[in-house]
């Protein structure tokens, strides 16, 4: 019987940390690879100069904004994510930690492999590919403030400078590719402008557009930007039909369908979950596990911080890369400083006074209003967006705590949209006491350094009991059976082994650190098991995984 002819060997949906690994590794193994990316392709000077350039910074195609910063909302969390060719690497904080032992031994997957040992060589590969510098090489006022805050909290021994993916050559000087023997693009030395999360216009940030993706394209992989995949449908007899439309189009959507023998979903946790939920609901992927949406994680995260009424320009709080240091408030609570560059003050609109958690909404609002009435002038000055990025330090707080959400579809205004409910483990926290402690310690040290009043700050979503996360994970997690997760230990979707999930949606637990390196390492491991094109696949079948041969 003649095998069916497909348009592509593999279609990859998304070009972030998982999709980029898949593109390079599968192209290396001889597969014909086509990547769909909903966002646009950026040259360095295409990025916004500051976050106020909404068309180039925010992602809202319905109103003509095709930038790098996505914002999604669920009942229990507000999500910050990325968009564009290179996915979240375009606006992430280039911070590349490995998680601690608790992540690898989490009950969801701990019994399936010795994960810390098995993933170790793939973490090493990911670090080499992403150009990880083991420690941020500069020490300025923010780094001293963070060290002092850690000392004041009695955890100074946990302070460290962050591992970052940045080219620290001569500032502003462009040189031939220093990472891949000349096969990669030219690179320019970091100028410490602070706008890593708006998009690096210098060319110093080691985004996926500087490593995995250009190397994949050299090997023949094709990338089609501004295409949103709307359906992945299993074909009788094997393979998949993948339908896409022009991103943001209301008319002339240019609906197209191609076929592929295999499909890799790497659209980010939000995009991958949304697509899988809709395909399960429509019957396009009838074998999908009922565990879809369970164990959706937020990295147990909070974004608080400290802002001064004013600071001397010489203090230079906005000078550096996005994240440079961290410390642990306790064994499971990790705190990092975060910065935007001068002029990038838009995200300051999310900040407000720090209010105690664990209280009813009216009590939280009352505390906020009461503080403003008692100190109206300082409240107005602290809330000003003028020079916000130069007057403050954001505290990004993450935990390894076992809490989760469960996502599902609900009907709203005639459409099926994602919603959330509290899931397994502890309730997803609406505030983190450790985050408040860290913000207050940072504010005290900032006041001492700048000689002006400073105040700990929270966020408006937190006031309303909705935490912010930049690290939305899980919902299609690795598992030992379809009853307990969506993908097997090789990242093949249970019931549809030609479909794979290799992005944050497969991450089974809260890593408690920035997850980009982990997503990359897990993808490297999964793709290392793929056979070369037309070779024998030596991976066990899913039937063998669930019911091992005696």
């Amino acid at each position: 019987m003649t095998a069916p002819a497909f348009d592509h060997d593999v279609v990859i949906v998304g070009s972030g940390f998982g999709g980029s690994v898949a593109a390079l590794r599968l192209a290396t193994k001889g597969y014909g690879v086509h990547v769909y990316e909903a966002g646009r392709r950026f040259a360095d000077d295409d990025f916004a100069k500051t976050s106020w350039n909404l068309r180039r910074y925010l992602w809202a195609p319905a109103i003509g904004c095709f930038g790098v910063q996505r914002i999604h909302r669920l009942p229990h969390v507000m999500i910050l994510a990325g968009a564009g060719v290179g996915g979240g690497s375009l606006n992430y904080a280039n911070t590349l930690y490995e998680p601690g032992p608790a992540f690898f031994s989490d009950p969801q997957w701990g019994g399936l492999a010795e994960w810390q040992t098995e993933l170790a060589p793939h973490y090493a590969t990911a670090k080499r590919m992403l150009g990880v510098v083991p420690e941020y090489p500069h020490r300025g006022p923010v780094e001293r403030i963070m060290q002092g805050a850690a000392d004041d909290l009695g955890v100074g021994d946990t302070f460290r400078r962050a591992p970052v993916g940045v080219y620290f050559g001569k500032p502003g000087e462009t040189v031939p590719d220093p990472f891949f023997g000349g096969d990669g693009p030219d690179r320019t030395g970091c100028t410490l402008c602070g706008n890593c999360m708006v998009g690096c216009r210098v060319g110093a940030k080691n985004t996926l557009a500087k490593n995995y993706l250009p190397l994949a394209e050299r090997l023949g992989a094709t990338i089609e930007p501004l295409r949103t995949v709307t359906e992945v449908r299993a074909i009788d007899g094997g393979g998949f039909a993948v339908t896409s439309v022009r991103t943001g189009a209301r008319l002339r959507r240019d609906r197209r369908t191609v076929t592929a023998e295999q499909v890799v979903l790497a659209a980010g946790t939000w995009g991958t979950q949304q697509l899988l939920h809709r395909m399960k609901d429509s019957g396009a992927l009838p074998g999908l596990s009922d565990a879809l949406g369970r164990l959706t994680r937020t990295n147990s995260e909070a974004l608080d911080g400290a802002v001064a009424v004013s600071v001397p320009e010489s203090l230079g709080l906005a000078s550096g890369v996005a994240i440079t240091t961290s410390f642990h408030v306790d064994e499971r609570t990790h705190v990092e400083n975060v910065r935007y560059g001068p002029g990038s003050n838009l995200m300051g609109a999310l900040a407000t006074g720090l209010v105690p958690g664990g209280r009813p909404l009216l009590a939280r609002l009352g505390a906020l209003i009461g503080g403003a009435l008692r100190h109206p002038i300082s409240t107005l000055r602290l809330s000003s967006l003028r020079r916000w990025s130069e007057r403050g330090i954001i505290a990004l707080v993450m935990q390894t705590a076992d809490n989760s959400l469960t996502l599902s579809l609900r009907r709203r205004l005639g459409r099926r949209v994602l919603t959330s409910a509290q899931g397994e483990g502890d309730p997803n926290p609406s505030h983190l006491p450790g985050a408040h402690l860290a913000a207050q310690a940072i504010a005290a040290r900032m006041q001492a350094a700048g000689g002006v009043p400073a105040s700990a700050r929270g966020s408006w979503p937190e006031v309303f009991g909705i935490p912010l996360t930049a690290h939305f994970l899980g919902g299609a997690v690795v598992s030992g059976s379809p009853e307990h997760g969506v993908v097997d230990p090789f990242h093949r979707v249970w019931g549809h082994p030609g479909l794979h999930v290799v992005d944050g949606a497969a991450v089974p637990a809260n890593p408690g650190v920035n997850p980009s390196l982990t997503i990359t390492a897990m993808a490297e491991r999964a793709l290392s098991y793929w056979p070369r094109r037309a070779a024998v696949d030596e991976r066990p079948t899913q039937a063998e995984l669930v019911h091992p041969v005696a």
Side-chain angles (χ1 to χ4, degrees):
M1 182 176 178
T2 303
F6 297 102
D7 298 311
H8 305 284
D9 293 334
V10 184
V11 162
I12 300 172
V13 184
S15 62
F17 289 99
S20 65
V21 172
L24 176 58
R25 299 311 175 200
L26 295 180
T28 301
K29 291 184 176 185
Y31 292 87
V33 175
H34 187 71
V35 181
Y36 285 117
E37 169 55 54
R40 60 171 288 193
R41 191 188 285 265
F42 289 86
D44 292 340
D45 57 5
D46 289 333
F47 293 111
K49 291 183 178 180
T50 75
S51 58
W52 290 108
N53 187 338
L54 300 186
R55 290 175 64 87
R56 295 188 180 200
Y57 176 58
L58 286 182
W59 175 260
I63 58 173
C65 295
F66 291 86
V68 297
Q69 182 64 70
R70 291 176 179 260
I71 302 176
H72 305 292
R73 186 189 179 284
L74 290 167
H76 295 85
V77 66
M78 182 173 284
I79 301 152
L80 305 178
V85 175
S89 76
L90 301 181
N91 68 324
Y92 87 132
N94 17 269
T95 310
L96 296 154
Y97 283 101
E98 287 189 50
F103 170 74
F104 300 103
S105 61
D106 185 89
Q108 172 60 26
W109 71 332
L112 303 179
E114 293 292 336
W115 290 108
Q116 192 159 14
T117 299
E118 184 159 337
L119 283 167
H122 303 294
Y123 273 107
T125 298
K127 289 178 181 179
R128 176 178 60 82
M129 293 296 300
L130 297 173
V132 176
V133 177
E135 286 192 346
Y136 175 68
H138 302 286
R139 181 174 174 84
V142 170
E143 291 69 46
R144 289 190 288 272
I145 288 168
M146 288 290 288
Q147 172 79 76
D151 291 339
D152 294 343
L153 291 170
V155 294
D157 60 321
T158 70
F159 174 84
R160 65 168 294 186
R161 283 184 278 179
V164 292
V166 178
Y167 172 57
F168 291 109
K170 183 176 180 180
E173 179 177 281
T174 301
V175 299
D177 165 47
F179 293 103
F180 305 107
D183 289 340
D186 294 349
R187 305 303 305 279
T188 303
C190 179
T191 61
L192 306 182
C193 73
N195 264 331
C196 311
M197 296 188 296
V198 177
C200 180
R201 292 172 58 85
V202 174
K205 183 178 180 179
N206 294 343
T207 67
L208 299 165
K210 303 295 187 186
N211 38 65
Y212 282 98
L213 293 175
L215 297 178
E217 288 184 292
R218 284 175 66 97
L219 292 173
T222 54
I223 301 173
E224 192 171 358
L226 294 173
R227 298 293 301 181
T228 297
V229 172
T230 58
E231 182 180 76
V232 177
R233 180 174 292 275
I235 301 172
D236 292 341
F240 300 88
V242 181
T243 300
S244 66
V245 298
R246 187 161 59 92
T247 298
R250 298 180 182 179
L251 302 173
R252 299 180 181 177
R253 301 186 74 200
D254 189 25
R255 187 176 187 270
R256 302 184 217 150
T257 299
V258 300
T259 58
E261 186 173 13
Q262 302 194 68
V263 172
V264 173
L265 296 183
T269 300
W270 177 273
T272 292
Q273 273 219 55
Q274 184 167 247
L275 192 56
L276 286 174
H277 278 286
R278 289 179 176 173
M279 296 308 94
K280 183 175 177 63
D281 185 61
S282 71
L285 296 172
L288 276 177
S289 167
D290 290 336
L292 177 62
R294 297 180 202 160
L295 295 179
T296 298
R297 309 286 192 172
T298 66
N299 215 10
S300 193
E301 200 157 285
L303 283 162
D304 291 332
V307 174
V309 171
S310 64
V311 295
E313 289 191 18
S314 59
L315 199 57
L317 297 183
S319 176
V321 302
I323 291 175
T324 57
T325 64
S326 73
F327 58 83
H328 279 79
V329 174
D330 55 50
E331 64 181 11
R332 70 177 192 176
T333 305
H334 183 223
V335 183
E336 300 172 347
N337 69 284
V338 184
R339 62 161 62 84
Y340 286 89
S344 287
N345 303 319
L346 177 66
M347 299 303 280
L350 292 174
T352 188
L354 193 67
V355 297
R359 297 184 181 182
L361 173 60
L362 289 179
R364 294 195 298 270
L365 288 173
L368 192 66
I369 294 168
L373 291 175
R374 287 192 298 272
H375 308 286
I377 302 301
S378 62
T379 298
L380 285 173
R381 296 178 70 186
L382 286 167
S383 300
S384 170
L385 297 184
R386 183 176 181 273
R387 294 185 61 225
W388 171 79
S389 64
E390 300 167 75
R391 296 187 290 112
I393 298 172
I394 302 168
L396 171 59
V397 182
M398 299 163 276
Q399 293 185 321
T400 54
D402 183 22
N403 46 55
S404 71
L405 299 173
T406 296
L407 266 58
S408 60
L409 288 181
R410 70 181 175 101
R411 188 169 295 280
R412 186 176 68 187
L413 299 177
R415 298 172 59 241
R416 302 283 277 174
V417 298
L418 284 179
T419 190
S420 61
Q422 292 290 356
E424 299 176 23
D426 296 331
N428 195 57
S430 60
H431 82 289
L432 299 179
H436 289 200
L437 282 175
Q440 289 162 346
I442 292 167
R445 280 286 175 161
M446 185 189 301
Q447 180 166 322
V452 294
S455 173
R457 306 290 281 171
S459 70
W460 278 108
E462 186 178 279
V463 171
F464 288 92
I466 302 172
L468 272 167
T469 181
H471 303 134
F472 192 51
L473 302 166
V477 299
V478 172
S479 62
S481 72
E483 290 74 33
H484 296 98
V486 174
V487 300
D488 68 26
F490 300 95
H491 290 241
R492 300 171 300 193
V493 172
W494 291 111
H496 296 282
L499 183 64
H500 313 257
V501 175
V502 294
D503 61 8
V507 174
N510 284 323
V513 295
N514 314 65
S516 300
L517 187 68
T518 293
I519 295 168
T520 307
M522 289 178 66
E524 286 279 11
R525 174 192 170 274
L527 273 299
S528 73
Y529 283 104
W530 279 55
R532 292 193 63 83
R533 187 178 187 274
V536 175
D537 189 347
E538 297 183 354
R539 292 171 294 183
T541 67
Q542 291 186 334
E544 290 169 337
L545 287 170
V546 178
H547 304 290
V549 177

